[in-house]
Amino acid sequence: GLAAWWALDEAFHMPADAVTVQSTHGACDVFTGTLAAALAQGAPLQTACETASKAAALHVSGLALGG
C-alpha cells in the first residue's frame, strides 16, 4: 500500500511496511492515536506519519503483543 499526504505545497509518500497480517482490528485506532501523540510532541508531519505507520504495522502483525 501507499500512504500520501499533501500539506500546503509539499507532498510525500511512503510505502507501507511489509508485514504478515494477523488481524486488522484496531489498525486505524493505533495509526490515529500514534499520529496525534507524535504531532502533540512536536514531530514534523512526515515523521509523525512514518511513526504512526510503523506502529500500525506492528499492531496488525501481532508483534506488538509478542505474537
Side-chain angles (χ1 to χ4, degrees):
L2 178 74
W5 187 279
W6 283 262
L8 302 174
D9 291 334
E10 296 182 33
F12 64 87
H13 61 89
M14 57 191 162
D17 291 337
V19 297
T20 302
V21 176
Q22 300 298 317
S23 172
T24 60
H25 184 81
C28 183
D29 294 333
V30 170
F31 181 90
T32 303
T34 303
L35 178 66
L39 290 173
Q41 293 174 351
L45 180 59
Q46 185 168 354
T47 301
C49 286
E50 291 168 352
T51 302
S53 181
K54 290 187 183 310
L58 280 173
H59 178 74
V60 301
S61 71
L63 294 175
L65 299 175

